[in-house]
Amino acid sequence: MVEYASYPEGTQPGVNSERYFRTSQLAPSQPFVEAPVTLSEITGPLFPREGVSQDEADLTAGGKALGQLMVLAGQVRDEDARPLPGVLVEAWQANASGKYRHPVDGRDAPLDPHFVGGGRAVTDSEGRYRFVTIKPGAYPVPNSGNWWRPPHIHLSIYGYAFLSRMITQVYFPGDPLNELDSIFMSVPDDAARERLVAVTDTSVGLHEHALGYGFDIVLRGRNQTPMEDEGLQA
Amino acid sequence: MSIAPTASQTLGPFFNYALPFSADLTGGGKAEGRAIFLRGRVTDVNAAPVRDALVEIWQANAAGAYAHPLDRDEARPRDPHFNGFGRVLTDAEGGFSFTTVVPGPVPFEGNRWQAPHVSVAVFSAGLLRRMRTRAYFPGEELNADDPVLAAVPAGRRPLLVAQAEDGGFRFDIRLRGENETPFFGD
Ligand SMILES: [Fe+2]
């Protein structure tokens, strides 16, 4: 039987964080309600691989985007280290100038016509995903006293359950902005924070073409059965 | 072997690569059941709107069946026109609106049933974690015996019951402050 225990102590940022001031406006002041885990929580949306084309994992328009070409690749597993096939991973990020193709990003930095800024992939039979992209630039957070977000890639991941759904960010090794970043530093546990930093791994890159970064993801849950061929009917 | 789950991080303000999911879960009205809207506003500690928040819902169909392999019961058939998942970004007023159907009751343990409900989650810039809650429906007899609603302090339970409006239901999500929506532990 599948199990979804609470997140182990220290693996997640606090709901309220002194480092990340905005939580004092948005995050609940009351403690979470502890309720039983039911059928409603151990089920969740599934995404058949046919619904996502391979092209959608290339954010560079076939290598035309400006910046440091790179591959972001890794494996999605559960807490028992079982690979999770058929998991939808969405990625979005700033371009090499630190500019998002988004109406809310009002900063005067150039857009790149060849960089859409987002893509998605479904994990293969070994739970692996892979994006071809460019290394994003750092960007300033408006009205924040000159806080610059370090280069990062946003990832959204759907496991097999509403409970294992999560959104995170991938950081780059050795960037001095990491330790100054309120969002990265909101994860209090050193080891948990380090797991958000990609590993330089040229073997996952493209030979003499794109740098490689590895980033493995662990979703909450144990004793899961792969549901790769159990896509939604609708 | 046990490995630690990856840490959650904020959605950020720039999520706009929407999956091809509309806010209409009924397949343009083809799903079985009573079609309704489920709408509301996401607000902060000052009751100000939270825009560009990602609101996701997951629910059973009108027969109380989830479109998922862990839910197989002939008494609660699947509906080929309803998969039970929707997501939408809030607008400048913090508003969101789904078109869906009223779900049937779903099993709990033994002979106990859960009242009709929609699982709701919110991600937003300014939140480091997902906020997970449930919307229940007014006037449902099963509300009184729902095991999850029962875990909420009695005084806060009404905050999880949507309000009937003409054609659907309103479920406001007050992230913090007065009448703060109860959220479940992750
Ligand atoms: Fe970002």
Side-chain angles (χ1 to χ4, degrees), chain B residues 74-129:
Chain B
E74 284 173 14
R76 292 176 294 112
R78 299 249 184 110
D79 177 348
H81 298 296
F82 190 83
N83 67 31
F85 174 68
R87 75 176 190 181
V88 70
L89 282 172
T90 55
D91 61 24
E93 278 73 53
F96 63 90
S97 183
F98 295 97
T99 303
T100 184
V101 298
V102 176
V106 300
F108 179 53
E109 285 164 358
N111 293 326
R112 267 185 91 182
W113 289 80
Q114 301 185 60
H117 66 275
V118 174
S119 293
V120 180
V122 183
F123 296 91
S124 172
L127 284 178
L128 292 161
R129 307 260 297 258

Side-chain angles (χ1 to χ4, degrees), chain A residues 57-94:
Chain A
D58 179 2
L59 285 69
T60 69
K64 291 201 286 284
L66 294 172
Q68 172 67 63
L69 275 175
M70 60 165 275
V71 169
L72 181 72
Q75 191 177 29
V76 182
R77 294 178 295 169
D78 73 3
E79 290 177 81
D80 285 331
R82 286 177 210 239
L84 303 178
V87 166
L88 179 72
V89 183
E90 297 168 283
W92 70 102
Q93 63 171 86

